[in-house]
Amino acid sequence: MKPFVVVLIAIVAREARRFVGQRSRFIAALIRPLLWLVVFAAGFRAALGLSITPPYETYTTYETYIVPGLCGMILLFNGMQSSLSLVYDREMGSMRLLLTSPLPRWWLLFCRLLASTSISILQVYTFLGITALYGIRFDATGYLSVLPALLVAGLMLGALGLALSSFIKQLENFAGVMNFVIFPMFFLSSALYPLWKMAESSELLHDICAANPFTHAVELIRFALYGQFNMSALLWTCGAALILLAIALWGYDPARGMIRRKG
């Protein structure tokens, strides 16, 4: 058991040192959702009326509504950026060296996934602190109950990036694929507008949004911030995380996956 813990601590510490050395990454991760909160929300405040739907018990402002979605945005972008650095590590050889460890490959990848998710959660709480100064506050219980929701959502989105990185050969290709994954997942979700609003426009788009795992990750965070539990969102998010992690493990299996063909 000790080698497993040692490897976990080593990988988390390595990711933490890399994160500390990349202050621009931390700032960029905060500026992006803050721009959406201050600029985008201000422009759409009057255009989008929000009815009283769970978990909201009274009328809520649009700025308050999109905060959980912006928390999901941070997890999504950081999950992809972490996988981008993983592709870089693989090209430089350090990832291949890590995967030659006698420990199980699934544990090594999970440690990397947990490390990147922990950093993303730190950024989300920093963002929530800034939104509190902006005037959007939640109960103390909400800040505590959202932690496991952020962990589950972060693992799912990180597993998505991990699965993509296992099938992409070059760093330049991964950057392009990110755009084809991040933006459809974000915009075709409940991050910026409730699903009933989407249904008024198109039933097809509503169904696509309802099937989007990111929608359920956002709803899991949204309900948790109000101290409520959303079972269906949890099941969808956990199911997607397990499937994506299984794909990543297959992709990084040298006997069957893409790593074998990359040499």
Side-chain angles (χ1 to χ4, degrees), residues 3-13 107 110-112 114-115:
F4 288 83
V5 177
V6 170
V7 169
L8 174 61
I9 295 175
I11 293 178
V12 172
W107 177 252
F110 178 75
C111 289
R112 179 63 185 263
L114 185 61

Side-chain angles (χ1 to χ4, degrees), residues 110-146:
F110 178 75
C111 289
R112 179 63 185 263
L113 183 60
L114 185 61
S116 62
T117 301
S118 300
I119 293 174
S120 298
I121 291 175
L122 175 63
Q123 292 174 317
V124 170
Y125 271 105
T126 303
F127 171 71
L128 289 174
I130 296 175
T131 59
L133 297 176
Y134 186 69
I136 303 174
R137 300 181 180 88
F138 303 92
D139 292 338
T141 55
Y143 290 110
L144 293 176
S145 61
V146 78

Side-chain angles (χ1 to χ4, degrees), residues 200-227:
E200 290 180 353
S201 173
S202 169
E203 286 293 337
L204 176 61
L205 288 178
H206 170 270
D207 294 340
I208 294 174
C209 292
N212 183 359
F214 184 69
T215 291
H216 300 281
V218 170
E219 292 306 304
L220 185 65
I221 296 171
R222 188 187 311 281
F223 276 75
L225 280 171
Y226 289 90

